[in-house]
Amino acid sequence: MEEEVSLYDLFEVLSRRKKLMWGIFLLVFALGILYAGYMRYSSKDYEAVATIMVNPVSLTGIVQSEDAYENLLNATISYPQFTNETYMTIATSIVIIEKLIGNLDPSENYTVQSLSKKLKAEYSEKTNLMKLTVKDKNPERAAEIANNWAIVFKEALNESIQDQFNKIIELVTIRVDADRKDLDRISQEIELIKEKNMDRIVIQKEMDKLTEQYLDYQKTLVDLDFIVKVQEVEIQKTKESLEKESQFIEIKKSILNEPIIMGYLLSTEGPIEPMSFSIISQELNQNYIELSRKLADLEICLAGDLRRKETPKESGIIDDLHKKILEKQTQLLKLEKELGTLEKQYEVYFNNYQTSFRKLDEIKTLTSAWTEDTNVTLLSKAIPPSEPTRGTSAKLILAVATVAGLFLAIFMAFFVEFLDKMKQYKKV
């Protein structure tokens, strides 16, 4: 069965071990008295405080834009990031402490470890104030270290920001030069193509001139076609009219109209019958003659127009013009295709160059703004303290010793009791 421990048993154990408990309690309390006396009469540290105001630098540069190249450029740029935590880390870094040792008296023989124990940096988020606290046995030396610490921190911080901005400027300058080279290369390619193939305007003018000549010939052929058709219709009508006309016509003529015959008849005594003195003769039909002449003229004109119509076709002038127009169109399309591709590339490279150049100018402006003395401002210098820092209170030390002695005495009483029980158990 398990044994139950009552409160009476606990007090009985404490009663049996009261000598041990008193001995431990008095020992701890005596140590507390000794430590309090040492703290009271030992040499005191002096604290000197220099107060500075810091301006956090937080430039992400990642501003979303409609320009993909600008977003890519922003993503590749690592802007300086100096937050409150960064300032705290820099202030107590080895680099700062080494520079601070260089500003102090060499005879002090400071090391990074020994000096870092004297330094303490505190930051107030609401006010952006940093307190650089230095502890030292000598008040004047504490103030000197604190003031030099503020100067070194300020110089090192501005130098660090300047170095980071210089690296960014160097990176963006390389990008600007590369974009400028691409832009110049595309410009040269465009000029070479223009010199080789002539300008688009010149080609277009030549093509317009050839097209005008080609259209003039086509218009002439259309006009001649119309004229030929009209002439063919007119010739057909003339032929039909000519077929209806007789080449000769019969004409009755009275011989009495002739003076000689009339004089002879008048000299005779017998009666004269008019019909007996009429004769019938054939003469050429004037209408037939005029129609034949008109038909001949029309056929001559038709032959001339047909010749005029066939001449351009036989000479190949129209085909040559059409061929030249197609060649110019092909040349123009090829040139526009090549120039169109290059001009699009030119627009892209020109936009890239403008973007990178604008970014470089922006970074230079930021550099001039963020590398000034406004990042760290010394508000108050450290002055030699007149009184040492207050150490731990003697009352507090004695109170802690009393509580610690009491708990340690109780623990040791139960622990010794436990050891005795174990020995008895082994004997049994």
PDB file of all heavy atoms in Angstrom, residues 10 123 214:
ATOM      1  N   LEU A  10       5.040  16.363   7.757  1.00  0.00           N
ATOM      2  CA  LEU A  10       5.910  17.391   7.160  1.00  0.00           C
ATOM      3  C   LEU A  10       6.514  18.276   8.251  1.00  0.00           C
ATOM      4  O   LEU A  10       7.699  18.592   8.235  1.00  0.00           O
ATOM      5  CB  LEU A  10       5.112  18.230   6.172  1.00  0.00           C
ATOM      6  CG  LEU A  10       4.607  17.494   4.910  1.00  0.00           C
ATOM      7  CD1 LEU A  10       3.802  18.446   4.034  1.00  0.00           C
ATOM      8  CD2 LEU A  10       5.781  16.932   4.102  1.00  0.00           C
ATOM      9  N   TYR A 123      16.476  52.350 -27.640  1.00  0.00           N
ATOM     10  CA  TYR A 123      15.721  53.031 -28.699  1.00  0.00           C
ATOM     11  C   TYR A 123      14.281  53.229 -28.265  1.00  0.00           C
ATOM     12  O   TYR A 123      13.657  52.326 -27.695  1.00  0.00           O
ATOM     13  CB  TYR A 123      15.753  52.200 -29.988  1.00  0.00           C
ATOM     14  CG  TYR A 123      15.129  52.902 -31.177  1.00  0.00           C
ATOM     15  CD1 TYR A 123      15.837  53.836 -31.905  1.00  0.00           C
ATOM     16  CD2 TYR A 123      13.815  52.623 -31.542  1.00  0.00           C
ATOM     17  CE1 TYR A 123      15.265  54.478 -32.983  1.00  0.00           C
ATOM     18  CE2 TYR A 123      13.234  53.259 -32.619  1.00  0.00           C
ATOM     19  CZ  TYR A 123      13.958  54.187 -33.342  1.00  0.00           C
ATOM     20  OH  TYR A 123      13.396  54.818 -34.406  1.00  0.00           O
ATOM     21  N   TYR A 214      -0.249  52.928-115.418  1.00  0.00           N
ATOM     22  CA  TYR A 214      -0.982  51.692-115.704  1.00  0.00           C
ATOM     23  C   TYR A 214      -2.482  51.976-115.856  1.00  0.00           C
ATOM     24  O   TYR A 214      -3.139  51.467-116.776  1.00  0.00           O
ATOM     25  CB  TYR A 214      -0.738  50.701-114.569  1.00  0.00           C
ATOM     26  CG  TYR A 214      -1.485  49.410-114.702  1.00  0.00           C
ATOM     27  CD1 TYR A 214      -1.042  48.410-115.560  1.00  0.00           C
ATOM     28  CD2 TYR A 214      -2.647  49.184-113.971  1.00  0.00           C
ATOM     29  CE1 TYR A 214      -1.737  47.212-115.684  1.00  0.00           C
ATOM     30  CE2 TYR A 214      -3.341  47.990-114.082  1.00  0.00           C
ATOM     31  CZ  TYR A 214      -2.890  47.009-114.937  1.00  0.00           C
ATOM     32  OH  TYR A 214      -3.576  45.825-115.060  1.00  0.00           O
TER      33      TYR A 214
END
